Amino acid sequence: MGFPDDFLWGTATAGHQVEGNNTASDFWALEHTPGSRFAEPSGDACDHYRLYREDIALLKELGFTSYRFSIEWSRVEPEPGFVSRAAIEHYRDVLKACHEAGLTPMVTLHHFTSPKWLPDLGGWEGDETPERFAAYCRVVLAELGQLIPYAVTINEANIAVLTRRMIADRPAPDTTEQAPVGADVADALLGSDLPKVFLFAFGEAGPDIAKRAHVLARQAIREVSPTTKVGVTLALQDYQPEPGAEETARERWAEDFDDFLPSIDGDDFLGVQNYTRARLGEGHAPPEDAERTQMGYEFYPQALENVLRHAATAGLPLIVTENGVATSDDTRRVEFIRQATEGVHRCLADGVDVRGYFYWSALDNYEWMFGYRPKFGLIAVDRATQRRTVKDSAHFLGAIAKRNSLT
Ligand code: BGC
């Protein structure tokens, strides 16, 4: 049950969800807008902006070989054209901490949050945005590229496709505990006056803007840091059609995945992100007796294997850049990881080129509109004291990483 020698075993975070006080970002503004539908503001988050050295050391001690985190555009360029040296030096030190600990860093340059000035220029539906994003990527990689072996330009570059669909299909707002996650988010976004601050663009331009931004960013990165491997990540659903819904499944894969192939042609890898399956057809909801995660959707770790097999058609090396479960019962997280990693192993045995597995997330962190309630982390965070407590699931996955094999 071994894995290839250089297989990356990691955990993932995103700046806004863990660093705290991301005050120059669009999300911070949105969280603090009167009538905001966010469950709570992000505040100090996990204070990872200060505690990154301790967190990285902990991940190393657990056995991980890699760490995926994001650089915040709004910290690097808090005003258009002004580059903060302080922010660059901060991230230089985060990268150094990874290298000193022997963790291979993977850096995401855009993980949902943007500088709060971007919406005035049209946000992720604005024509100038791809060039501006590429210019920011160029600055970061020119400064730090030698320390960045893997760069993800955009996290879930297809998110606008998914959000547009979710909004089009949205059921009537349901505010009960059992509300499906999609209904909640769509309602929350539509209730906001600031939709364009999101990468989750509403307009038709959204997906194409994201594609163009990726292509220009990749070009800029290659020019200033030719040794850095570049890719995007895509949110991929395991569509399971009932008889009669096969065509819908094909259409969805085409929109979520095939439409992105021309833009990622020439990338060094593709980041695959998956959390559950999506049944299509009459019984499109999860089965009645299905186990649900704290996000409302089905506990279904088998989805990752199905999605990897499909994503392999891109012809690029694949890296699982996110896969995880929100639960307060850590034994279910262990089970989720066990089944998901077995699926990755079966893919490898069949010749699918998978280069790494990153669990989402290292820490219990800020789950966007849902605040701090969903627990995705391998490590619990007491937000009053910022004390970290390692969960059994962290030891479980860390041990797999150390052995580089499943038992
Ligand atoms: C996002 C993360 C998020 C996770 C869990 C992914 O789509 O990249 O930021 O926390 O899902 O919902």
Side-chain angles (χ1 to χ4, degrees), residues 6-13 48 52 56 59-60 64-71 90-109 140-141 144-153 225 227-231 269 319 321 355-358:
D6 47 3
F7 194 82
L8 300 170
W9 288 105
T11 63
T13 61
H48 185 66
Y52 60 95
I56 288 168
L59 294 173
K60 172 63 184 173
F64 293 101
T65 62
S66 191
Y67 176 46
R68 173 175 176 233
F69 65 94
S70 75
I71 289 184
H90 168 82
Y91 289 116
R92 190 190 307 282
D93 200 56
V94 179
L95 287 159
K96 279 188 179 163
C98 290
H99 287 287
E100 283 161 22
L103 296 181
T104 303
M106 175 182 286
V107 168
T108 310
L109 289 146
V140 171
L141 272 289
L144 307 176
Q146 296 215 321
L147 298 168
I148 303 180
Y150 293 91
V152 168
T153 55
S225 185
T227 57
T228 300
K229 290 186 165 54
V230 193
F269 65 90
I319 300 179
T321 40
R355 306 275 176 101
Y357 176 88
F358 289 75

Side-chain angles (χ1 to χ4, degrees), residues 17 111-112 155-156 273 275 295 322 360 367-368 376:
Q17 295 179 268
H111 195 123
F112 296 167
N155 181 64
E156 300 188 341
Q273 312 204 158
Y275 287 87
M295 297 297 281
E322 283 184 33
W360 182 272
E367 182 55 28
W368 307 110
F376 276 97

